[in-house]
Amino acid sequence: QLEEIKILEDNLRKQVVRDPLTGLFNRRYLYEIFEREISRAQREDYPVSVMMIDLDYFKDINDTYGHQIGDEALVSLAKLLQRSIRQGDVACRYGGDEFIIIMPGIHEAVAKKRAEKLCYEVENMTINTEEGAVSATASIGIAFYPKHGANLDQIMKASDDAMYAAKTKGRNRVSVFHEQK
């Protein structure tokens, strides 16, 4: 009985911190883990890179092909993110079609190169449907701790602003926060 309780507690913990559709960590976990990462980065003096990823024209996918295909696009992106991150990185579904990747110890040039590779991989990702293959692109914004803020809210705002700058510049691209000025 003790073993059953432990399994149930484990399952409950996963349900609390995981997005049920994609299996990625959710926003609740993002806030929990980010504070720990910032504390560790302060102690050990290294940067933390944050990528905000948004599928371009996601509403059009839902409107054209239906929400099931939209969900499949989100799941496909989540799988791609899981394959793309290092051990120690954290991929989260932030909400809707927005995703966050926290990358401790990654400097700007490397973060930008990883984001550009991810943009390319999303563009080449296909979701097969009865009506044919559906493709998508993504806009990615990057911000860095401590350069662009000292806490989660500041870093998230900077990465969100950078992501919107990528959309404004034509979508399917990467924008680093300081590059948008």
Side-chain angles (χ1 to χ4, degrees):
Q1 209 173 19
L2 217 49
E3 187 64 29
E4 279 182 52
I5 291 171
K6 186 175 177 3
I7 291 169
L8 289 171
E9 285 175 343
D10 251 7
N11 287 337
L12 185 58
R13 170 80 175 136
K14 286 177 186 171
Q15 289 174 14
V16 168
V17 299
R18 295 275 181 184
D19 174 63
L21 176 65
T22 64
L24 294 178
F25 290 109
N26 61 22
R27 184 185 294 213
R28 175 190 307 245
Y29 186 77
L30 169 68
Y31 284 93
E32 187 178 306
I33 193 70
F34 196 81
E35 294 305 319
R36 280 187 280 184
E37 286 302 332
I38 294 299
S39 293
R40 186 176 299 136
Q42 287 171 339
R43 281 193 313 274
E44 298 176 23
D45 193 32
Y46 61 78
V48 177
S49 300
V50 176
M51 256 189 238
M52 182 169 288
I53 303 144
D54 185 77
L55 283 176
D56 297 326
Y57 303 111
F58 181 68
K59 182 180 181 325
D60 292 347
I61 292 172
N62 277 336
D63 291 349
T64 304
Y65 301 100
H67 289 277
Q68 182 177 350
I69 301 303
D71 285 352
E72 287 180 36
L74 296 174
V75 170
S76 294
L77 177 57
K79 287 178 182 176
L80 175 62
L81 295 180
Q82 286 288 36
R83 288 191 309 271
S84 300
I85 63 175
R86 308 168 303 160
Q87 184 175 3
D89 291 348
V90 179
C92 301
R93 182 174 181 199
Y94 190 63
D97 61 321
E98 290 183 335
F99 296 82
I100 302 282
I101 299 177
I102 300 170
M103 302 172 292
I106 295 288
H107 295 278
E108 290 183 38
V110 175
K112 187 171 183 188
K113 185 178 279 193
R114 289 181 67 196
E116 288 168 346
K117 181 176 186 239
L118 186 58
C119 240
Y120 173 80
E121 290 174 342
V122 171
E123 184 177 22
N124 289 288
M125 175 181 81
T126 56
I127 299 109
N128 295 313
T129 72
E130 292 174 3
E131 298 177 33
V134 175
S135 59
T137 60
S139 297
I140 302 175
I142 311 171
F144 307 96
Y145 166 84
K147 185 175 185 177
H148 300 129
N151 60 47
L152 178 62
D153 291 334
Q154 293 169 346
I155 300 295
M156 293 295 290
K157 174 146 180 23
S159 64
D160 191 48
D161 288 350
M163 186 264 301
Y164 278 105
K167 288 192 175 295
T168 301
K169 293 176 186 174
R171 300 180 194 269
N172 192 27
R173 65 188 65 230
V174 174
S175 177
V176 175
F177 183 67
H178 70 274
E179 288 181 349
Q180 27 172 341
K181 294 177 183 173

